[in-house]
Amino acid sequence: MSALRVALADDQALVRMGLRVLIDAEDDMEPAGEAADGREAVDVVRREHPDVILMDVRMPGMDGIAALREIAADDAMAGTRVVVLTTFELDEYVFDALRAGAAGFLIKDSDPGELLRAIRLAAAGESLLSPSVTCSVIASFASRAPSGGPRPDLSELTEREQEVLALVGEGLSNAEIAERLVVSPATARTHVSRAMVKLHARDRAQLVVTAYRAGLAG
């Protein structure tokens, strides 16, 4: 099995060095380029096609959110999953990151093991939000939808898929959903995948937002 290729985007050289050392020490990961600002980050993704890029929010020139939007909008780069890093738990940029399709959101002082887990989850198509802010950030994000706006249309989802969507909204992983519903992990994964397709969700984080907006979680 080939190693996960991880790129780094942060304007602080010391931060990039620390992340690089952490990743390089893992048997299943390898560094795949570095960037000091958003424009460089886009260039690195376009050139290296990493599996995951750790993206700082506040960088000079093009910030991390603008870079995330550009990466997500380009089919040639959309295969790269973006995990957003920030210093502040309730940074306004978090909401923009989720809307733009971030695969994960972590505070910079998160435990190294949590960061590595986020990378692996992102590469596997799942997502991880910093445990200290998962519920509050997503709920706040959902509440910021335009007042009076319609709730997401869930009519295409089966009853089981809506149930799974609600559990995704609670932050459960596929394995935890399988345990809750007494089904196999493969079956849970299939339900999640079908819900993503039907709701046109780019990733699991957007499913969580949909669950909140639909009133299934929170």
Side-chain angles (χ1 to χ4, degrees), residues 3 12 15 23 27-28 30 72 76 84 93 100 107 116-117 119 132 147 173 184 190 199 202 208 216 218:
Q12 297 183 47
V15 172
I23 291 166
D27 293 337
D28 62 339
E30 64 181 23
V84 173
Y93 287 119
I107 308 303
L116 294 171
R117 177 169 174 259
I119 293 172
S132 63
S147 59
S173 67
S184 71
T190 296
L199 295 172
R202 181 174 183 267
V208 175
L216 298 180

Side-chain angles (χ1 to χ4, degrees), residues 13-26:
L14 284 175
V15 172
R16 297 198 306 274
M17 181 181 69
L19 292 172
R20 183 174 66 251
V21 170
L22 179 66
I23 291 166
D24 210 23
E26 297 298 301

Side-chain angles (χ1 to χ4, degrees), residues 25-137:
E26 297 298 301
D27 293 337
D28 62 339
M29 297 182 191
E30 64 181 23
E34 297 183 19
D37 58 48
R39 174 48 57 198
E40 288 184 9
V42 173
D43 292 341
V44 166
V45 171
R46 184 176 286 115
R47 182 178 66 250
E48 301 292 339
H49 299 290
D51 298 297
V52 176
I53 181 168
L54 300 180
M55 184 83 74
D56 185 23
V57 170
R58 298 187 178 188
M59 295 184 288
M62 176 186 282
D63 65 25
I65 302 304
L68 166 59
R69 290 197 186 101
E70 187 165 333
I71 291 168
D74 190 328
D75 289 341
M77 297 187 287
T80 293
R81 308 279 287 169
V82 180
V83 174
V84 173
L85 301 176
T86 184
T87 305
F88 307 101
E89 289 193 354
L90 296 179
D91 194 312
E92 288 295 318
Y93 287 119
V94 174
F95 307 106
D96 291 333
L98 293 173
R99 185 180 293 110
F105 166 75
L106 288 172
I107 308 303
K108 282 188 177 181
D109 61 2
S110 296
D111 182 88
E114 188 177 4
L115 177 59
L116 294 171
R117 177 169 174 259
I119 293 172
R120 294 185 177 99
L121 284 174
E126 296 197 36
S127 60
L128 178 72
L129 302 180
S130 184
S132 63
V133 296
T134 297
C135 294
S136 60
V137 168

